[in-house]
Amino acid sequence: MTMTTHRVLPPEICDIQAEMEEIAASYGLDFFETIFEMLD
Amino acid sequence: MFAAYGGFPVRYPHWRFGAEFNELLKSYSYGLSKIYEMVINTDPCYAYLLSANAIGDQKLVIAHVYGHCDFFKNNAWFAPTNRKMLDQMANHAARVNRYVDRYGYEKVERFIDACLSLDNLIDPHAPHIQRKAKPDFAEKNKNESHVQELDQHPEHGRFRAKSYMDPFINPPDVLEREKMREHEERELHMTQRSFPEEPQRDVLLFLLDHAPLEQWQHDILAIIRDEAYYFAPQGQTKIMNEGWASYWHSTIMTKHGLTDAEVIDYADHHSGTMAMSPQRLNPYKVGIELMRDIEQRWNKGQFGKEWEDCDDMDEKSNWDRQLGLGREKIFEVRRIHNDLTFIDTFLNADFCRRHKMFSFAYNDRSGDYEIASREFDDIKQQFLASLTNHGRPFIYVVDGNHHNRGELYLRHDYQGVELKQDYANATLSNLQKIWNRPVNLETVIDDQLSTISYDGHTHDVHSIES
């Protein structure tokens, strides 16, 4: 069985993600590329 | 449905996903729980946000997710996991669907049920260590020539001794008994052809290697085992992983992410997630508090011999060497520890006292679980016992040719807690479906070493004479 999601994040969430990613990295957190998807 | 699938968009068909979905849906619609975040350990990491959440919650979730992503990438226990599991899960689903088309849903589902009931019979440490030495032919040849050499000298059990001491150091009757014992052992080994050579903890691997399975059954069992190993580190690091992610969402949100309007909602949701009831330990709360405790202790230099040897409580309460090593230390902790070693190494009496921790036990008279002790040693022992193998029994395959009749013989490594009889019986029934011959389990029942056997029709319990 396959599920589908809304792949495109709203622009305001994209901005928050970019900001959070930058802050997390500035603290030394080290992660693979992270892809967020929106679910209803 | 994503949550029921463990965050993966594609899984093989099985009724338990529907049951989990139903449970989550009811829990959510009755207001008992809310799924805030879901993130999967892959490269790239995939994380899911709920569109119904407010902006402040989205920030919290995103910050929390980056904590998890860092943990997945850097914690040693996740190192052997398949980072392409998204593709692997889709591949598993396609294979199982093919078998469903060919052999029918009922037949495949019944077999998956049997496999899933055994999916904790793996060896979670196996990906990290080499259980069996690789065959060293030079060493083998050397040993063989050594055996030949010993065989040529019948008294090879003899210790070196001066002639006047020899009858005392090498009593002839003892030498004779030893010779007989070795001979009997060799004979027994030759006639019984027992395997494996040593008890094997990865029962699923043993079944894959030796059970009489059809090709599709073999493949499904391999799929279940593969997924069990993928998910195992998440069970081994629940407290650390959630503690680490919570530490970072808390740090990022309180220092950077919050607007004035979001503070109250954030405090409400954060404290709700961290709330701990007397009925259960909250891994988020224990994890974050222990991380903060470690950070503070290493910042102030409250570790090492000097700290341990200090008996002056006043000096200890004001102890601050201003080392500032806390952040560095917690990064080291997240790299090398799992929950068991984390609690064993860093839980201390002061932490237990501050968080009002206690051990509990069942009281026969009141018929309820009650506080048994507030002593640190008791608390730590019960905590560690609950984390060791997730509080599940250690089961080993001892013999795949028991009584030289092809029966399977397992041993429960008894550590003071007896098996639940109904669980043991159900597990043996499912094992028998896969092994196709009688299966036996050695365990302790009512303080008596016993064997539970299942031959496909009835369960029998025999006590073993000591």
Side-chain angles (χ1 to χ4, degrees):
Chain A
M1 191 181 241
T2 307
M3 307 300 300
T4 54
T5 59
H6 297 296
R7 296 218 163 237
V8 182
L9 286 181
E12 67 274 20
I13 302 290
C14 283
D15 292 344
I16 291 170
Q17 186 201 341
E19 184 193 352
M20 290 293 167
E21 186 171 327
E22 196 180 326
I23 297 168
S26 74
Y27 276 108
L29 295 188
D30 166 36
F31 33 79
F32 296 123
E33 179 196 357
T34 306
I35 298 168
F36 284 88
E37 295 186 5
M38 191 68 88
L39 299 177
D40 286 326
Chain B
M1 198 63 201
F2 259 93
Y5 274 5
F8 288 90
V10 187
R11 296 297 298 271
Y12 58 81
H14 190 254
W15 61 265
R16 82 187 156 109
F17 298 123
E20 277 166 32
F21 169 74
N22 199 32
E23 187 181 339
L24 286 168
L25 184 69
K26 280 185 178 154
S27 179
Y28 180 76
S29 55
Y30 295 158
L32 300 173
S33 70
K34 190 172 176 184
I35 301 159
Y36 272 102
E37 45 94 15
M38 213 162 40
V39 52
I40 57 175
N41 164 36
T42 49
D43 177 13
C45 272
Y46 283 87
Y48 303 99
L49 303 169
L50 286 182
S51 59
N53 281 349
I55 287 292
D57 283 343
Q58 306 289 23
K59 288 182 186 176
L60 186 158
V61 171
I62 291 171
H64 190 89
V65 161
Y66 279 117
H68 280 309
C69 294
D70 169 86
F71 196 88
F72 289 148
K73 185 178 176 185
N74 294 286
N75 180 267
W77 298 88
F78 281 90
T81 54
N82 181 1
R83 309 292 186 175
K84 300 293 173 200
M85 203 58 182
L86 210 65
D87 300 334
Q88 189 70 42
M89 290 283 191
N91 180 288
H92 289 170
R95 277 150 62 189
V96 174
N97 277 318
R98 239 188 354 253
Y99 299 135
V100 167
D101 290 343
R102 190 172 303 169
Y103 302 104
Y105 192 84
E106 295 275 319
K107 194 173 178 181
V108 171
E109 189 177 68
R110 272 202 302 274
F111 188 73
I112 293 176
D113 285 347
C115 295
L116 283 174
S117 76
L118 308 172
D119 74 348
N120 57 351
L121 297 181
I122 58 170
D123 181 0
H125 295 125
H128 306 275
I129 52 175
Q130 192 179 315
R131 289 281 185 211
K132 287 181 187 167
K134 286 177 186 163
D136 183 342
F137 294 106
E139 189 64 25
K140 187 169 176 275
N141 292 339
K142 198 174 127 194
N143 286 341
E144 277 172 2
S145 63
H146 181 59
V147 169
Q148 282 167 5
E149 191 181 302
L150 289 176
D151 284 345
Q152 285 160 11
H153 297 84
E155 294 186 333
H156 60 265
R158 175 182 288 280
F159 290 99
R160 291 175 70 181
K162 302 273 186 194
S163 58
Y164 67 93
M165 288 294 285
D166 192 59
F168 302 102
I169 292 175
N170 298 304
D173 57 328
V174 173
L175 285 180
E176 189 59 32
R177 277 206 303 274
E178 181 65 13
K179 236 163 62 178
M180 288 290 288
R181 193 188 60 78
E182 283 184 6
H183 178 72
E184 278 169 12
E185 256 181 24
R186 211 177 300 168
E187 286 284 303
L188 198 68
H189 186 72
M190 290 299 288
T191 54
Q192 283 199 336
R193 288 173 294 170
S194 297
F195 60 98
E197 284 181 10
E198 289 175 356
Q200 184 173 323
R201 192 171 162 200
D202 191 339
V203 179
L204 294 194
L205 179 62
F206 185 85
L207 294 173
L208 283 171
D209 286 343
H210 302 289
L213 298 170
E214 291 179 38
Q215 188 274 331
W216 68 271
Q217 293 174 319
H218 189 276
D219 195 31
I220 285 178
L221 184 58
I223 286 171
I224 302 291
R225 178 174 174 270
D226 196 24
E227 296 191 4
Y229 271 105
Y230 172 78
F231 287 116
Q234 298 188 21
Q236 289 173 301
T237 59
K238 179 75 179 166
I239 295 171
M240 284 192 68
N241 200 347
E242 293 302 351
W244 182 251
S246 300
Y247 172 92
W248 284 108
H249 87 229
S250 163
T251 303
I252 292 172
M253 290 296 281
T254 52
K255 293 189 176 171
H256 307 275
L258 287 172
T259 62
D260 296 349
E262 291 163 351
V263 170
I264 300 296
D265 280 340
Y266 166 77
D268 182 36
H269 295 165
H270 175 79
S271 58
T273 310
M274 299 300 139
M276 188 142 74
S277 75
Q279 279 79 34
R280 61 178 283 271
L281 278 170
N282 180 343
Y284 292 78
K285 177 68 173 173
V286 176
I288 190 174
E289 293 298 346
L290 212 42
M291 285 287 178
R292 283 173 175 163
D293 188 59
I294 295 165
E295 184 179 35
Q296 183 177 296
R297 283 165 58 195
W298 261 257
N299 274 339
K300 294 183 172 180
Q302 295 176 351
F303 60 93
K305 189 172 184 328
E306 195 186 351
W307 164 259
E308 300 293 340
D309 289 348
C310 178
D311 293 328
D312 185 342
M313 292 312 289
D314 189 45
E315 188 185 347
K316 273 191 146 177
S317 63
N318 295 312
W319 191 292
D320 188 359
R321 299 285 187 266
Q322 300 197 332
L323 298 183
L325 296 172
R327 190 57 64 74
E328 189 185 329
K329 183 66 185 176
I330 59 171
F331 270 91
E332 178 196 302
V333 168
R334 81 89 162 82
R335 195 169 63 246
I336 61 177
H337 283 279
N338 62 26
D339 285 348
L340 192 67
T341 60
F342 181 57
I343 297 299
D344 193 25
T345 310
F346 299 107
L347 188 77
N348 57 43
D350 186 45
F351 184 90
C352 289
R353 186 184 48 74
R354 271 188 283 126
H355 293 281
K356 301 180 177 144
M357 294 173 79
F358 55 84
S359 68
F360 60 90
Y362 187 76
N363 185 332
D364 285 329
R365 275 191 288 181
S366 67
D368 212 347
Y369 285 94
E370 293 177 357
I371 294 175
S373 169
R374 289 190 185 273
E375 291 296 317
F376 170 62
D377 288 341
D378 296 333
I379 296 167
K380 186 173 177 182
Q381 191 175 357
Q382 191 169 50
F383 202 169
L384 290 177
S386 72
L387 294 172
T388 304
N389 201 31
H390 304 285
R392 293 176 187 141
F394 286 90
I395 306 288
Y396 294 85
V397 178
V398 176
D399 194 354
N401 187 25
H402 185 54
H403 286 155
N404 210 19
R405 291 197 297 243
E407 294 184 13
L408 186 64
Y409 193 88
L410 308 172
R411 181 182 298 144
H412 166 217
D413 184 12
Y414 179 72
Q415 296 178 350
V417 181
E418 293 188 7
L419 295 176
K420 284 185 78 173
Q421 191 85 25
D422 51 343
Y423 277 48
N425 288 346
T427 303
L428 285 179
S429 301
N430 285 326
L431 259 176
Q432 196 276 337
K433 279 181 198 161
I434 294 173
W435 189 249
N436 269 329
R437 296 277 305 145
V439 291
N440 308 276
L441 173 64
E442 180 185 308
T443 184
V444 172
I445 300 174
D446 296 333
D447 297 325
Q448 172 73 42
L449 193 61
S450 308
T451 311
I452 311 172
S453 304
Y454 183 67
D455 60 2
H457 301 288
T458 52
H459 291 90
D460 289 319
V461 179
H462 307 282
S463 63
I464 300 172
E465 300 292 330
S466 55

